[in-house]
Amino acid sequence: MSDNHPSLNFIEQIIEEDLKNGKNNSKVHTRFPPEPNGYLHIGHAKSICLNFGLAKKYNGKCNLRFDDTNPTKEDTEYVESIKEDIQWLGFQWANIFYASDYFEQLYQWAERLIMEGLAYVDDSTQEEISKGRGVPTKPGTESPYRNRSVEENLDLFRRMRAGEFPDGSKVLRAKIDMTSPNMHMRDPIMYRILHAEHHKTGNKWCIYPMYDYAHGQSDSIEGITHSICTLEFEVHRPLYDWFCETLKIHHPQQIEFARLNLSYTIMSKRKLMQLVQEKHVMGWDDPRMPTISGLRRRGYTAASIRNFAETVGVAKRDNIIDVSLLEFCAREDLNKVARRTMAVLDPVKLVIDNYPEGQIEELDAVNNPENPDEGTRKVPFGKELWIERADFMENPPKKFFRLTVGGEVRLKYAYIIKCTHVVKDAEGNITEIHCEYYPETRSGLSESNRKVKGTIHWVSVKHAKKAEVRLFDRLFNVPDPDDCEEGQTFIDHINPNSLVVIDGFIEESLNLKNAVKHYQFERTGYFCLDKDSTEDHLVFNKTVSLKASY
Ligand code: ATP
Ligand code: MG
């Protein structure tokens, strides 16, 4: 491609060139073609943002097409989750189709190829077929069934459809070129026999088209202009083209881009399924999973995922994206939308000795400094507060701006305090931190301008509410879990400490009814309410820390 459009990615360059030349009547029609055999992951999100995004950008359309040609692995549960995930990401399909909608048309086309002497029924076993294909450097050997007559092929193929033959006993193959250096052109299989119930077509069919025979033709039927797929399909392109050309049907352009790989996770539905089935995680939507539903439950926003997909861009070579980029995108968006609240996750008691016994003040706290429209709320303040254990040190290092004996900090939205002494138990653990407050330093008062270096958050002991907080770490403890020693699998790289559950104290006013989607626990990180929450047992998931910690 020329670099006339330096700001466009290479797919946009192709599209703009086509639009300029009036190709496809200057229309753009893409599709997202998932197989409904699992939940979508962040790699699919990349493909969704690309396909739906291009349609949007060029005033075109994007179809959702379920590539449902493997009845034994597919299920309507997956169909539903895929629809939900796409809509949650903020996209809407122009049409929803299933490859199975085209089974009859595909079958008719197969008969046509047979009649033109371009397809034949092969009785060879799987093994014999792959042996016959041989290796790329040497021509393959032709099947002994390759020269069956058109009549015999047609008869056998019709009887395959009628259910006369058992699974695996015959296949239909395209008659192309057993000497091609491209193995996919060595008489690829078009149909196999599978007596299995299909989630949509039931028992209507017992022969099912292979991916290569179904995909391009489905694109063609839908009038797709640019069929975008990942790099591993580059070697399939000649076959994609061959079917469209030979059948003389609309010929979409297949364009390949590099699939998204993320560090510290895996991105294959089969392996994600294994994590679920072997119960290494709570389910497909476990917040540690790279699935869209997992990221959603973890507290990622759709905007942050779209932004991530945009930032990653479109590459022609495989690479691995650092998961910290995804986390960065989450922080960037959550900072704008998250409701601020105070929560103490590792509590120690702070007692203000000169604060009147029994007095409660309702202090104003800002809900979201990034969005004044969200207003303020009242937070109760009293003589006894919970603060984070880590916000106090007896023997602090230099530049420790939090609390220490004799030192001062501001309690967020409240007063400046000075620590006077601590109380310890028999083992020497601090059980209470004592301090005095300066009434004139209350936030918002005109005399409160006095500055101290540190500000810490707190929750009133009398008003604190307990909540379960789930802290997540990476699911795998190596950047590439698939990089295994002899005898190991990716399962051996699971991080045993990827989930830590603690009890924390949150603001009393926070409950199931008034909860919003995203919170920033001030100074701690971004959190969201988990679906396991009940009226009297709130559960929070940590989405991401406030700053990168790795
Ligand atoms: P998996 O190996 O995880 O099952 P798949 O490619 O078999 O993935 P499909 O349901 O066939 O899953 O994929 C639907 C679409 O999403 C395809 O166009 C595919 O190319 C694209 N896709 C899948 N994984 C990625 C990825 N990691 N990055 C970008 N696109 C992807
Ligand atoms: Mg696939």
Side-chain angles (χ1 to χ4, degrees):
M1 280 292 116
S2 69
D3 45 7
N4 295 342
H5 314 284
S7 60
L8 301 178
N9 67 48
F10 80 96
I11 300 179
E12 292 169 332
Q13 289 179 20
I14 294 173
I15 291 179
E16 297 210 352
E17 202 63 24
D18 290 347
L19 289 173
K20 207 171 72 194
N21 298 330
K23 197 175 163 192
N24 306 307
N25 295 321
S26 295
K27 291 223 166 16
V28 174
H29 201 155
T30 56
R31 85 286 173 265
F32 173 65
E35 185 179 353
N37 61 349
Y39 282 64
L40 298 182
H41 52 61
I42 181 79
H44 294 112
K46 167 76 218 170
S47 175
I48 291 168
C49 291
L50 184 59
N51 279 294
F52 285 91
L54 286 169
K56 206 172 206 166
K57 176 163 183 182
Y58 295 106
N59 274 317
K61 290 180 181 166
C62 182
N63 287 353
L64 168 59
R65 181 171 71 240
F66 290 102
D67 177 19
D68 56 349
T69 52
N70 286 313
T72 54
K73 292 189 184 142
E74 296 158 5
D75 198 272
T76 43
E77 176 195 346
Y78 305 131
V79 169
E80 292 311 314
S81 76
I82 288 170
K83 290 195 224 166
E84 184 186 351
D85 287 349
I86 294 172
Q87 289 180 318
W88 178 76
L89 277 174
F91 297 107
Q92 187 57 50
W93 45 86
N95 304 286
I96 185 158
F97 291 124
Y98 295 80
S100 57
D101 295 339
Y102 313 133
F103 280 176
E104 184 60 40
Q105 173 68 78
L106 292 170
Y107 175 86
Q108 294 302 332
W109 279 334
E111 284 208 351
R112 211 166 98 195
L113 290 177
I114 291 173
M115 287 189 276
E116 290 171 14
L118 293 171
Y120 62 98
V121 173
D122 194 333
D123 298 0
S124 308
T125 62
Q126 264 300 337
E127 254 177 2
E128 288 163 344
I129 289 176
S130 38
K131 204 156 154 242
R133 284 223 174 89
V135 292
T137 48
K138 272 193 271 172
T141 34
E142 294 187 358
S143 160
Y145 303 95
R146 197 173 198 260
N147 294 312
R148 275 178 161 153
S149 69
V150 168
E151 292 68 33
E152 191 184 3
N153 279 321
L154 208 49
D155 174 61
L156 287 172
F157 188 50
R158 287 178 179 164
R159 286 162 62 196
M160 279 169 65
R161 174 180 184 165
E164 286 189 30
F165 307 113
D167 290 1
S169 59
K170 289 180 173 28
V171 293
L172 183 72
R173 294 176 74 176
K175 196 172 182 175
I176 306 181
D177 181 3
M178 290 304 287
T179 67
S180 171
N182 182 336
M183 301 297 281
H184 296 281
M185 299 300 273
R186 294 189 180 178
D187 291 9
I189 297 174
M190 293 165 58
Y191 275 91
R192 68 230 147 98
I193 302 173
L194 204 61
H195 293 266
E197 181 158 326
H198 186 281
H199 71 99
K200 262 204 117 219
T201 57
N203 292 306
K204 180 155 185 238
W205 293 90
C206 62
I207 54 172
Y208 288 95
M210 302 299 288
Y211 172 88
D212 283 320
Y213 183 64
H215 199 86
Q217 285 88 304
S218 300
D219 284 345
S220 177
I221 293 168
E222 293 176 18
I224 299 304
T225 56
H226 301 86
S227 174
I228 298 163
C229 60
T230 43
L231 276 183
E232 66 273 25
F233 290 100
E234 191 170 6
V235 286
H236 294 244
R237 181 161 18 105
L239 184 53
Y240 183 106
D241 294 341
W242 189 88
F243 280 125
C244 288
E245 291 300 313
T246 309
L247 290 167
K248 300 189 182 61
I249 54 178
H250 164 67
H251 188 166
Q253 180 181 0
Q254 178 179 302
I255 304 170
E256 307 88 12
F257 75 103
R259 59 194 297 126
L260 171 71
N261 298 303
L262 257 196
S263 62
Y264 292 96
T265 193
I266 48 164
M267 210 93 88
S268 134
K269 278 182 277 186
R270 186 176 58 78
K271 289 177 186 163
L272 295 174
M273 172 94 73
Q274 190 181 341
L275 290 174
V276 174
Q277 285 175 340
E278 293 177 4
K279 300 206 178 345
H280 299 289
V281 293
M282 298 182 262
W284 283 100
D285 67 349
D286 185 296
R288 292 163 293 180
M289 291 279 269
T291 51
I292 297 176
S293 50
L295 291 165
R296 176 165 65 235
R297 186 171 173 190
R298 175 84 172 249
Y300 274 74
T301 60
S304 67
I305 294 177
R306 288 196 304 266
N307 189 27
F308 170 73
E310 181 71 32
T311 308
V312 165
V314 184
K316 283 195 204 180
R317 283 232 188 109
D318 278 318
N319 56 357
I320 298 180
I321 303 294
D322 199 315
V323 68
S324 58
L325 179 62
L326 181 62
E327 294 166 350
F328 172 84
C329 292
R331 278 185 203 105
E332 207 181 37
D333 191 46
L334 288 170
N335 179 48
K336 290 185 226 147
V337 303
R339 171 71 52 89
R340 271 55 169 179
T341 186
M342 293 197 284
V344 175
L345 302 187
D346 182 15
V348 61
K349 194 180 276 182
L350 179 80
V351 183
I352 308 172
D353 291 318
N354 63 339
Y355 194 84
E357 194 76 47
Q359 175 173 307
I360 302 296
E361 285 177 89
E362 296 281 340
L363 302 177
D364 286 317
V366 177
N367 284 331
N368 184 353
E370 302 290 320
N371 180 11
D373 290 349
E374 287 186 48
T376 60
R377 66 185 184 284
K378 297 284 184 198
V379 185
F381 180 88
K383 189 180 178 73
E384 292 191 341
L385 307 172
W386 294 118
I387 64 168
E388 298 285 354
R389 205 164 267 281
D391 281 337
F392 176 85
M393 273 185 105
E394 255 188 316
N395 302 303
K398 264 192 203 144
K399 301 216 169 159
F400 181 80
F401 298 129
R402 291 163 283 167
L403 207 52
T404 181
V405 176
E408 293 183 344
V409 291
R410 174 172 289 283
L411 293 170
K412 185 123 200 191
Y413 305 117
Y415 300 95
I416 293 176
I417 55 165
K418 179 179 189 157
C419 175
T420 52
H421 63 285
V422 296
V423 177
K424 295 181 182 175
D425 64 12
E427 277 100 60
N429 303 309
I430 295 173
T431 53
E432 281 180 5
I433 299 168
H434 284 258
C435 67
E436 291 185 344
Y437 84 122
Y438 305 98
E440 73 283 4
T441 61
R442 197 174 100 192
S443 296
L445 290 184
S446 52
E447 315 85 281
S448 72
N449 287 336
R450 184 147 83 82
K451 290 264 182 296
V452 284
K453 281 242 166 84
T455 298
I456 65 173
H457 62 278
W458 49 271
V459 179
S460 161
V461 169
K462 213 177 253 165
H463 307 89
K465 182 144 117 186
K466 246 195 187 147
E468 176 179 331
V469 181
R470 297 176 180 168
L471 306 172
F472 303 104
D473 196 354
R474 291 169 179 172
L475 187 52
F476 295 97
N477 46 28
V478 293
D480 180 6
D482 282 324
D483 182 12
C484 294
E485 310 247 308
E486 181 90 13
Q488 277 189 327
T489 71
F490 72 101
I491 295 287
D492 296 298
H493 294 308
I494 290 180
N495 172 7
N497 304 313
S498 61
L499 170 61
V500 173
V501 180
I502 59 169
D503 271 336
F505 288 114
I506 60 170
E507 292 181 25
E508 184 188 38
S509 61
L510 209 167
N511 61 45
L512 256 194
K513 284 197 195 75
N514 65 15
V516 295
K517 283 222 173 88
H518 306 282
Y519 287 96
Q520 184 194 102
F521 287 180
E522 297 214 35
R523 301 182 57 243
T524 304
Y526 294 102
F527 291 77
C528 71
L529 203 63
D530 189 74
K531 65 175 187 183
D532 288 347
S533 297
T534 61
E535 201 75 52
D536 37 42
H537 182 80
L538 296 187
V539 180
F540 285 89
N541 295 324
K542 180 167 181 180
T543 311
V544 66
S545 56
L546 283 186
K547 293 198 185 100
S549 54
Y550 279 88

